[in-house]
Amino acid sequence: MQIAFLFIAHMPYVRHAGPQPEGEDALHAMIAQSLLPLVEMLVELHSNRLPIQVGLACSPLLLEQLADPLVQKHFVLWMEKVIAQREASLAEAEARGDTHAAYLERFYVEWIEQRLSAFTERFNRHLPAWLRELTVARVIEPLACPASYAYLPLLGREESVHAQIECGMLHTTRHLGRLDGLWLPGCSWRPGLEGMMAEIGLRYVVADHSSLVAQQSSAPINVIPGRVAALFPDEELARHIWSEDLGYPGDPLYRDPDDPSGYHARSGALYDPYHALRRAQNHAVHFTQLLVAEEARAGADDLRLILLDAGQLGTRWVEGPTWLQAMLMLSTTHGSLHLTTPGAYVRNHRPRVQGLLKEGSWAAGVHGAWQGGVAEVYWQEIHRAEAAMVELALAFPDAVAEHERLLNQAARELFLAQTSDWPALLSAGTGEEGWAARWRTYLQRFGQLAELARHRHLHEADLALLDQLEEEDGLFASLNYRIFAPTS
């Protein structure tokens, strides 16, 4: 049996979004609690010559932010602020004689100082550079994602789908290196994507079991023989990792992720990191035993693809990185377990079964988590903007200078409006507040730029607006608006 772990990491574009409640703090917390521990762990395991391999589907939006000097600076300032707050709380706890609170505050201060030191000194603030080093060392196998993590099955234009995949592949390749696989938000799929994948050289996609036709098994299949394969995550093993009700994350000893003080466990009792981290190691032993038992039942060429989410490990499941490190160490040193990556599996164990994929995702109702209710208004507006962007690309194929800059920025704003987080939040009934309202800002900016693009001359105020938007939403520096032009 072959075992492949795929780590998924995504964050909407929060640069210049301000701090709490839905701004840059969420990105800073993910870096500190999930991404930084992951990179530290992989570097450490590799330096100890353990044959570790993992897949990584990191959204281009997140990679662009991790490589941004402003985001890096703000992260350091945020960490220093958290340290100062914890030190003040430590002094207060000691003054009132609260020994347990003082114990926890010392633990948090030491942990945060170690992460900050690793970020600034060991990794020189630039995590993507180290992810690339790990890719070169074959520790990480990167996958492509849509440029702005758009939900492709519900986009209205093929030009948008093509632009999302091609731009996402280009920018992830620039940061991390060569790509063979594709990860789509929510494990989503719609027929027709396989031809686009083959055209740009992607060899496999991770799809949900709901996309399987009829009674096909969940074994890997050929979607286009010899060119595009589909792999499917293991749901039985994953429930131990993902479920807070039935799996490891809900253990009563673990820290309550909704308690900002960090003083309480999920049980409501006082939190003790010593016992919680010991429990995480025990859970790592248990999961490894599950893998060994599964290996005894499975065939030599069978694949178990296990998804790991940065939005959960370290953030919702604070002890998750400890579990992950212990589990990977046990798995790589166990004689009967064989770790691989999704791409290596496709290269070495070509699927023999031909199959078809239908529309699907890991949500109920095919695409139910991204449509319905207020989300329908979102999709109507997005489809209108997509059509307008295609019209602009056709109307101005040879734009230069400021006019070209303006059209490129319009394409960026459309990308940002297409991020799948927005319809997911709207579909969940959160209302258009906080993050859920950001799509309107991006579409408003797109509309302003689209209107200016049709003017024969740009005034000083127009250029000032363009400068401002390029600074605020300046991701994907090499994006060319012509990517939205129809190819036939």
Side-chain angles (χ1 to χ4, degrees):
M1 182 183 79
Q2 306 292 308
I3 305 165
F5 294 102
L6 175 57
F7 201 85
I8 305 158
H10 165 65
M11 178 64 62
Y13 193 67
V14 295
R15 183 180 188 268
H16 279 313
Q20 290 282 27
E22 290 100 2
E24 291 183 359
D25 283 6
L27 174 59
H28 299 155
M30 176 184 280
I31 295 172
Q33 298 173 357
S34 182
L35 299 179
L36 187 52
L38 174 68
V39 176
E40 284 187 278
M41 176 193 66
L42 293 178
V43 170
E44 191 68 26
L45 293 178
H46 178 61
S47 66
N48 289 329
R49 301 187 181 279
L50 290 177
I52 184 68
Q53 299 180 85
V54 297
L56 174 65
C58 188
S59 75
L61 274 185
L62 178 55
L63 281 172
E64 290 280 297
Q65 292 179 93
L66 295 177
D68 190 321
L70 180 66
V71 172
Q72 296 165 5
K73 175 184 175 181
H74 286 182
F75 174 69
V76 171
L77 294 174
W78 180 79
M79 291 285 275
E80 291 173 343
K81 177 183 176 182
V82 173
I83 291 172
Q85 291 172 340
R86 288 293 182 183
E87 288 177 336
S89 297
L90 171 59
E92 292 174 4
E94 290 177 333
R96 66 175 182 267
D98 190 334
T99 57
H100 191 79
Y103 156 66
L104 285 173
E105 294 296 354
R106 289 192 197 94
F107 172 82
Y108 292 134
V109 168
E110 181 179 349
W111 187 90
I112 299 167
E113 287 178 339
Q114 289 174 348
R115 297 291 81 73
L116 180 57
S117 175
F119 183 74
T120 57
E121 299 174 18
R122 186 175 190 181
F123 300 129
N124 197 28
R125 300 190 177 194
H126 207 294
L127 292 184
W130 281 85
L131 291 174
R132 187 179 184 92
E133 289 291 327
L134 291 167
T135 300
V136 171
R138 300 184 182 277
V139 174
I140 283 176
E141 176 189 274
L143 282 75
C145 300
S148 65
Y149 218 62
Y151 193 78
L152 301 189
L154 297 181
L155 293 182
R157 301 288 300 231
E158 287 299 302
E159 294 86 357
S160 274
V161 176
H162 186 274
Q164 283 281 350
I165 294 179
E166 186 170 320
C167 182
M169 184 175 179
L170 173 67
H171 283 82
T172 302
T173 299
R174 181 170 65 85
H175 285 296
L176 302 183
R178 185 176 178 273
L179 309 170
D180 285 332
L182 176 65
W183 167 263
L184 298 174
C187 232
S188 58
W189 180 260
R190 71 160 177 75
L193 292 176
E194 64 273 19
M196 200 174 297
M197 288 178 59
E199 178 185 335
I200 61 178
L202 292 172
R203 301 179 59 192
Y204 70 89
V205 64
V206 179
D208 187 72
H209 299 83
S210 63
S211 292
L212 286 167
V213 175
Q215 300 301 315
Q216 289 176 322
S217 73
S218 59
I221 62 173
N222 275 314
V223 183
I224 300 180
R227 300 184 69 187
V228 177
L231 310 179
F232 304 92
D234 188 290
E235 295 180 343
E236 285 301 311
L237 290 169
R239 67 182 177 84
H240 294 280
I241 306 167
W242 287 70
S243 175
E244 293 190 6
D245 295 325
L246 303 175
Y248 307 138
D251 190 281
L253 287 181
Y254 288 151
R255 197 176 94 184
D256 181 358
D258 297 318
D259 174 19
S261 72
Y263 284 9
H264 295 93
R266 285 182 176 269
S267 65
L270 290 176
Y271 176 65
D272 191 324
Y274 174 80
H275 296 300
L277 296 177
R278 285 285 299 273
R279 180 60 56 86
Q281 292 172 336
N282 292 337
H283 281 152
V285 172
H286 179 259
F287 193 79
T288 307
Q289 291 171 342
L290 292 175
L291 294 177
V292 172
E294 190 73 12
E295 194 274 340
R297 294 190 295 267
D301 292 344
D302 288 352
L303 174 68
R304 297 296 181 267
L305 176 59
I306 301 166
L307 303 182
L308 307 167
D309 182 15
Q312 180 200 34
L313 293 174
T315 49
R316 292 297 303 172
W317 181 12
V318 177
E319 299 78 10
T322 298
W323 169 86
L324 179 62
Q325 181 170 5
M327 186 272 296
L328 288 177
M329 289 183 66
L330 291 168
S331 299
T332 55
T333 56
H334 198 288
S336 67
L337 298 180
H338 302 88
L339 264 60
T340 186
T341 60
Y345 179 87
V346 171
R347 290 190 296 271
N348 299 327
H349 304 269
R350 293 182 180 276
R352 301 189 182 99
V353 178
Q354 174 71 16
L356 299 174
L357 294 177
K358 62 182 180 180
E359 289 201 23
S361 75
W362 64 31
V366 185
H367 307 306
W370 294 270
Q371 61 184 178
V374 184
E376 293 309 305
V377 176
Y378 166 86
W379 286 115
Q380 292 169 10
E381 296 292 333
I382 287 293
H383 294 166
R384 279 194 283 269
E386 289 178 88
M389 188 70 238
V390 172
E391 290 176 6
L392 289 171
L394 285 171
F396 304 104
D398 302 314
V400 296
E402 285 80 6
H403 194 207
E404 183 177 28
R405 285 174 52 203
L406 191 147
L407 289 165
N408 289 340
Q409 189 60 36
R412 291 188 188 97
E413 301 297 344
L414 177 56
F415 268 176
L416 291 172
Q418 289 174 332
T419 302
S420 59
D421 300 72
W422 317 140
L425 288 167
L426 294 171
S427 178
T430 60
E432 291 199 45
E433 299 176 358
W435 274 356
R438 292 182 64 79
W439 68 276
R440 287 195 181 275
T441 299
Y442 297 130
L443 280 190
Q444 179 186 22
R445 293 173 176 179
F446 169 81
Q448 289 178 283
L449 295 167
E451 181 179 352
L452 290 176
R454 298 189 180 278
H455 293 183
R456 297 189 58 172
H457 300 288
L458 295 177
H459 300 292
E460 186 174 340
D462 303 331
L463 294 176
L465 173 65
L466 178 57
D467 289 340
Q468 175 189 343
L469 295 183
E470 284 178 330
E471 164 57 25
E472 291 189 16
D473 301 332
L475 73 170
F476 305 142
S478 61
L479 176 62
N480 189 318
Y481 74 93
R482 297 173 182 87
I483 200 171
F484 282 93
T487 56
S488 61

